[in-house]
Amino acid sequence: MNAERIKDDELSDEPVPVMQQLLDNPFLLLFLGIAMPTVLYIVWGVMEIVSLPIAK
Amino acid sequence: MSVNRMFRTCPSSGLVFHEPAEKLMRWNAVAAAVSLLIGGLLAIGVVLTRWQAVHLLPADRFYQFLTAHGLNMLVFWIIFFEIAVLYFASSTLLKARLATPGMAWAGFWLMVLGALVNNYSVFRGDSSVMFTSYAPMGAHPTFYLGLILFAVGALIACFVFFGTLMVAKAERTYHGSVPLVTFGAITAAIIAVFTIASGAIILIPTFLWSVGLVEHIDSLMYKTVWWAFGHSSQQINVAAHVAVWYAVAAIVFGAKPLSEKVSRGAFLLYILFLQLASAHHLLTDPGLTSHWKIFNTSYAMYLAVLASMVHGLTVPGAIEVAQRAKGYTHGLFEWLRKAPWGNPVFSSMFMSLIGFGFLGGISGVMMGTEQLNLIIHNTIYVPGHFHATVVVGTTLAFMGLTYFLIPVLFRREVAFPTLAKWQPYVFGLAMMGVSLFLMGAGTLGVPRRHWDIGFAGNAFGYEFPGAAWLMMALAGIAGLVAIVGGGMYLLITVWSVFLGKKITTPGFQHVRARDGIAPSPQPVAAAIAAHHPSAGAGGLVAPGTFALAMVFLVSFVLYYFINWKYLSTVWPLK
Ligand code: HEM
Ligand SMILES: [Cu+2]
């Protein structure tokens, strides 16, 4: 492999901070980025609309 | 193995292009430019009709042009370009092969087909339902079908992007975290997935309704879910153009973000909160409670606005630090005065930042406040606001990036360099004018999407003040100049790409992935993709940016309170 790829001396044993683990996980972010607006905007909004009484 | 694994290292920038990714980026960029051309031609009709003294088009033509203008600009131009940015930020910046190029091409052709089908429906003449296509106003089925095809194509592209991230990780083409620019692109792609899913939820039933398979579409339900799509798609743009700002700061100045942690945190705020602001489109709709409206537009949106302000400060801050390190240390603003204003990559990006923040940002927060929204709801203030965000902000940033990509991606010299130097100013400044004049007219009550504010032959007329007519005329003039600026961009890019002088490098060859990638000592690639320890530790490292931030805050507060004062005069509470 070439020098651009991982060099051993750049790998450290320090634990990765939790926040960085979150930021480094695109699929967890994808889940959060979909769940938040789905629940707070769409589901909440749609629940309010369907609970409106229908005019007679 | 197929030929799918060829890489080339750009000799001038050191960036590494995977051949299939490169080709996809080019084709997406070309499709984007074609959409911009169509949208720009239609803008002539729109703007000359709203300039009341000219009043060019008859009513039906006007609404048709306006519908097609909105779609070609905001959907097709921007999203084609964004797909190119996604491939660049994943494959190129991570030096990874693009995952499933075949799927990526399928996505691309679906998008092309969708754009054609949708344009077909509008040009038929029976689908002038505006970009928002509110039910129960119905369009021809191909209108919805086109959008659905386009969205499916874009969704495939997003998955190719995520797949490429996985490839890069598995093949260890980078270590630690992805570069900040790629992180910005991840933010954009995440928002895109939500956007497209919402679009599907609402457009598929609406399509079925248009062919008679579904009986009824509730208008409020439509509006609510549609805006999860319509608004969030604007947030893809924000995340993408902010990523472009960071990239340009690195490309032009070798600037390092003041703090990667803070910048990434700000992108996280986008992921969590930006899409909730969709509710600001429903602030005047009865049926939804103030709890829902205020939670989504105020509490959540302010966190996203905070994130934008972080980006708006750390990008110029990083540039200031880089410039000061080069010796431009006199006074507060030497770093800015001595910036390369003749380089269109920089001038576009900086005007994008200022226009987005001062014009788009401040007006957006004002409009997003439930009470203040009443003053300007559905007036031409709204197009004024979003031409600042999505045209001065996103479009201009993308134009700037194009000037960087012509030599790097297309291997051509930029044609007409003097014209290129002026283009961002002509387009950017004129567009800022359009935004301001439309906002001015909107404050005076001029409605958006309105063919004739003179109300000729109407039983119930309304007399707008002369100032409103003047504002619309000024917007018309500025709009024509902006269209010329857009034409300059297209002339330069199309000429460069198809007829421009080829850049050739002796001894240039593609390498196979398994033979490894040539190391890239060149500064640009390293600057965009590298990680940096925080530059902002200790002391005030960017006093000029701090001063600009204070100007921004004062303008913000003043404008915000002026509108409350104005609101108090609208309500006849004596
Ligand atoms: C090139 C110069 C441009 C000019 C002069 C221009 C002018 C205008 C004007 C005056 C309107 C409002 C008309 C009305 O509501 O009655 C409008 C609407 C709109 N413009 Fe532009 N525009 C330009 C470029 C763009 C670009 C680059 C984008 C997007 C990236 C864009 C997106 C839109 C959208 C989404 C609408 C709203 C359509 C609707 O109400 O359904 N425009 N434009
Ligand atoms: Cu919005």
Side-chain angles (χ1 to χ4, degrees), chain B residues 245-528:
Chain B
W245 293 348
Y246 280 110
V248 169
I251 290 165
V252 177
F253 299 94
K256 313 174 176 70
L258 291 180
S259 158
E260 283 217 16
K261 227 191 261 177
V262 170
S263 297
R264 278 171 208 260
F267 277 124
L268 178 65
L269 288 176
Y270 275 178
I271 294 174
L272 297 177
F273 299 110
L274 201 45
Q275 306 158 70
L276 303 179
S278 308
H280 60 210
H281 296 276
L282 294 121
L283 284 175
T284 59
D285 284 67
L288 290 154
T289 62
S290 285
H291 299 285
W292 181 85
K293 289 177 187 171
I294 291 181
F295 177 84
N296 281 294
T297 60
S298 295
Y299 301 150
M301 190 186 74
Y302 294 152
L303 291 168
V305 169
L306 174 73
S308 284
M309 294 202 288
V310 168
H311 293 306
L313 293 182
T314 97
V315 173
I319 293 176
E320 178 171 358
V321 170
Q323 286 282 78
R324 284 183 186 272
K326 285 179 198 138
Y328 299 120
T329 51
H330 279 287
L332 274 181
F333 292 118
E334 193 193 17
W335 63 275
L336 191 55
R337 276 202 317 278
K338 299 273 170 73
W341 292 102
N343 176 352
V345 181
F346 168 73
S347 59
S348 302
M349 170 264 167
F350 207 80
M351 274 192 281
S352 156
L353 191 145
I354 297 291
F356 179 77
F358 277 85
L359 299 180
I362 293 178
S363 59
V365 170
M366 191 286 271
M367 296 162 65
T369 308
E370 187 178 7
Q371 298 87 329
L372 297 180
N373 184 274
L374 293 175
I375 309 177
I376 51 76
H377 198 88
N378 271 348
T379 67
I380 197 113
Y381 188 99
V382 179
H385 155 78
F386 67 68
H387 282 74
T389 56
V390 93
V391 187
V392 182
T394 310
T395 299
L396 194 54
F398 287 178
M399 287 176 167
L401 186 67
T402 315
Y403 292 117
F404 168 71
L405 290 178
I406 289 172
V408 168
L409 177 63
F410 291 93
R411 310 292 303 136
R412 303 279 186 155
E413 285 180 14
V414 174
F416 314 117
T418 315
L419 205 61
K421 196 164 143 182
W422 288 103
Q423 187 275 331
Y425 295 100
V426 177
F427 184 77
L429 295 177
M431 211 63 223
M432 290 185 199
V434 172
S435 297
L436 281 169
F437 295 132
L438 292 184
M439 287 197 255
T443 308
L444 297 170
V446 175
R448 71 183 288 197
R449 298 172 165 176
H450 199 290
W451 174 64
D452 180 21
I453 59 167
F455 297 97
N458 238 299
F460 301 98
Y462 175 80
E463 194 118 346
F464 283 102
W469 289 62
L470 177 66
M471 291 286 177
M472 292 308 287
L474 291 172
I477 295 165
L480 290 180
V481 178
I483 291 165
V484 170
M488 287 161 72
Y489 166 79
L490 286 169
L491 173 70
I492 296 163
T493 50
V494 172
W495 194 285
S496 308
V497 166
F498 294 103
L499 305 167
K501 202 163 144 222
K502 279 208 176 87
I503 300 175
T504 49
T505 320
F508 167 77
Q509 62 187 53
H510 282 93
V511 263
R512 277 178 308 185
R514 83 177 123 81
D515 299 338
I517 296 161
S520 49
Q522 287 83 353
V524 168
I528 313 187

Side-chain angles (χ1 to χ4, degrees), chain B residues 90-128:
Chain B
S90 54
S91 169
T92 307
L93 292 186
L94 297 178
K95 303 190 177 92
R97 67 187 168 83
L98 190 79
T100 61
M103 288 304 285
W105 281 110
F108 174 75
W109 289 113
L110 269 178
M111 288 168 70
V112 171
L113 181 67
L116 289 174
V117 168
N118 176 270
N119 268 298
Y120 159 78
S121 77
V122 178
F123 286 105
R124 278 167 58 93
D126 59 357
S127 300
S128 303

Side-chain angles (χ1 to χ4, degrees), chain A residues 18-26 29, chain B residues 183 261 264-265 268:
Chain A
V18 180
M19 197 59 189
Q20 191 179 336
Q21 285 184 24
L22 167 69
L23 293 177
D24 282 347
N25 187 339
L29 293 174
Chain B
F183 193 72
K261 227 191 261 177
R264 278 171 208 260
L268 178 65

Side-chain angles (χ1 to χ4, degrees), chain B residues 227 230-232 234-235 277-278 280-281 385:
Chain B
W227 277 113
H231 175 81
S232 304
Q234 303 328 302
Q235 314 311 337
S278 308
H280 60 210
H281 296 276
H385 155 78

